[in-house]
Amino acid sequence: MINKKIEVISKGMPSYPELLAEIKDPPQKLYYIGDINILKKRCAAIVGSRNTNQYGRSTAVEIAMKLATYDVAVVSGMARGIDTCAHRGALKAGGKTVAVLGCGVDICYPKENSNLKKELEEKGLILSEYPPGTEPMPYYFPQRNRIISGLSELTAVIQARNNSGSLITAELAAEQGREVCAVPGNIDSQYSLGSNKLIKDGAVPIINAGTVPELMGLDVISEEAAQKLLSDTEMLVFSMLTERGEMTVDEICFALKKPPAYVNSIITVMELKGTVFTALGKIFIAKA
């Protein structure tokens, strides 16, 4: 133990993550602050550009919340933009999240994420292959990206410009034999040039937040799991969806004898809780 907070694990130790050990150049040591047992969970990476827009930020939060609801740990790099939203989304859903840094774990970069770093230290995990006190350097970040993808079964790219570092993470994930998926965006948007190119090159398009857990082979959320998350009215809607498979808002309004505004508010809450998702104007039970 280096100090009261920072600890270290080495390759070959029982706590060293198995998936990471499989890559061609795994780090020999990992310094960390937080709960190292999070790495025993199934992990998925969410990455994207530092410079993003509201569409990218809200999508990152939504996908992270969805994964956290199903007890999948969200891995990212604590950079501003998409990374920050991914960590925030997982924490918002009460899930676990891992930040892999391009500096020592005792250093906050960017400084604006000091509050997030404290929360991750208490509720998640901060990791780095660089010793404490190591200042961030530009060439450290591409190198650490192999750890982000190496820890994860799947890497989801939310938004990426042509020169985005998240494209390096996606490329590394593909080389490591992991699933790569990306959120499609407007063809005239600078924020989506890289992610659209990934889809052209074979990445799976993310058509809704449920796509990501589905790619991990997870099943439809169970009624028992739903009961722990939902209110009585929400559970009634869930039961109707279980019976019918899919419903429109109008059909739910008719069944509940409630106006659209009331039903839409219920569906929104259920989406945030990760129990349903909407697509093509219909509502479906989410995949776990």
Side-chain angles (χ1 to χ4, degrees):
M1 186 148 171
I2 295 170
N3 68 22
K4 66 177 182 179
K5 296 178 74 174
I6 302 173
E7 297 188 64
V8 61
I9 55 172
S10 300
K11 189 172 179 293
M13 292 175 63
S15 52
Y16 193 94
E18 292 182 10
L19 273 182
L20 186 61
E22 293 175 1
I23 69 174
K24 68 178 182 180
D25 54 348
Q28 294 303 305
K29 289 184 179 181
L30 287 171
Y31 301 89
Y32 70 92
I33 301 175
D35 183 5
I36 196 66
N37 290 319
I38 291 174
L39 297 182
K40 295 178 181 178
K41 296 180 178 290
R42 299 183 69 179
C43 296
I46 297 179
V47 296
S49 295
R50 288 172 171 80
N51 297 313
T52 183
N53 58 18
Q54 182 56 42
Y55 170 66
R57 291 190 292 271
S58 60
T59 301
V61 169
E62 183 180 4
I63 293 174
M65 290 183 69
K66 181 76 69 176
L67 288 168
T69 301
Y70 306 137
D71 202 30
V72 175
V74 173
V75 182
S76 199
M78 211 180 81
R80 63 174 59 93
I82 296 300
D83 289 17
T84 293
C85 293
H87 294 307
R88 288 288 185 201
L91 292 169
K92 184 177 181 180
K96 299 300 182 182
T97 183
V98 181
V100 184
L101 306 187
C103 57
V105 293
D106 55 334
I107 293 174
C108 184
Y109 182 83
K111 293 187 182 301
E112 66 203 53
N113 271 346
S114 59
N115 288 336
L116 174 60
K117 185 173 185 290
K118 290 176 183 176
E119 193 168 359
L120 287 169
E121 290 175 359
E122 294 171 1
K123 301 177 182 178
L125 178 66
I126 305 278
L127 276 183
S128 178
E129 66 179 319
Y130 304 111
T134 303
E135 295 290 339
M137 299 295 289
Y139 50 87
Y140 287 162
F141 294 95
Q143 187 176 356
R144 71 85 194 263
N145 289 349
R146 81 189 193 289
I147 301 176
I148 293 177
S149 60
L151 288 169
S152 308
E153 297 179 32
L154 169 151
T155 292
V157 179
I158 308 304
Q159 281 185 327
R161 302 187 185 207
N162 264 337
N163 60 348
S164 173
S166 55
L167 298 182
I168 298 174
T169 311
E171 182 178 345
L172 289 165
E175 290 174 358
Q176 293 162 354
R178 313 293 166 79
E179 187 76 71
V180 178
C181 53
V183 174
N186 292 339
I187 60 174
D188 59 352
S189 171
Q190 60 179 324
Y191 300 110
S192 299
L193 291 174
S195 42
N196 284 345
K197 185 177 184 300
L198 282 175
I199 293 171
K200 175 179 175 292
D201 292 341
V204 179
I206 299 173
I207 60 171
N208 55 55
T211 300
V212 181
E214 185 175 356
L215 286 171
M216 297 179 72
L218 298 170
D219 298 324
V220 174
I221 189 167
S222 69
E223 186 170 348
E224 181 182 356
Q227 286 176 339
K228 297 177 182 179
L229 296 168
L230 303 178
S231 68
D232 290 344
T233 304
E234 292 161 2
M235 195 62 210
L236 178 59
V237 173
F238 185 89
S239 297
M240 289 190 294
L241 287 167
T242 300
E243 182 179 346
R244 298 180 56 171
E246 62 184 52
M247 295 179 76
T248 65
V249 169
D250 287 343
E251 288 170 337
I252 296 174
C253 288
F254 181 79
L256 294 180
K257 297 181 171 53
K258 295 290 184 180
Y262 177 85
V263 171
N264 280 322
S265 66
I266 290 175
I267 296 303
T268 298
V269 172
M270 291 178 72
E271 281 192 282
L272 290 173
K273 291 179 179 179
T275 54
V276 301
F277 71 93
T278 57
L280 303 176
K282 295 182 179 179
I283 300 133
F284 302 86
I285 293 178
K287 299 240 177 185

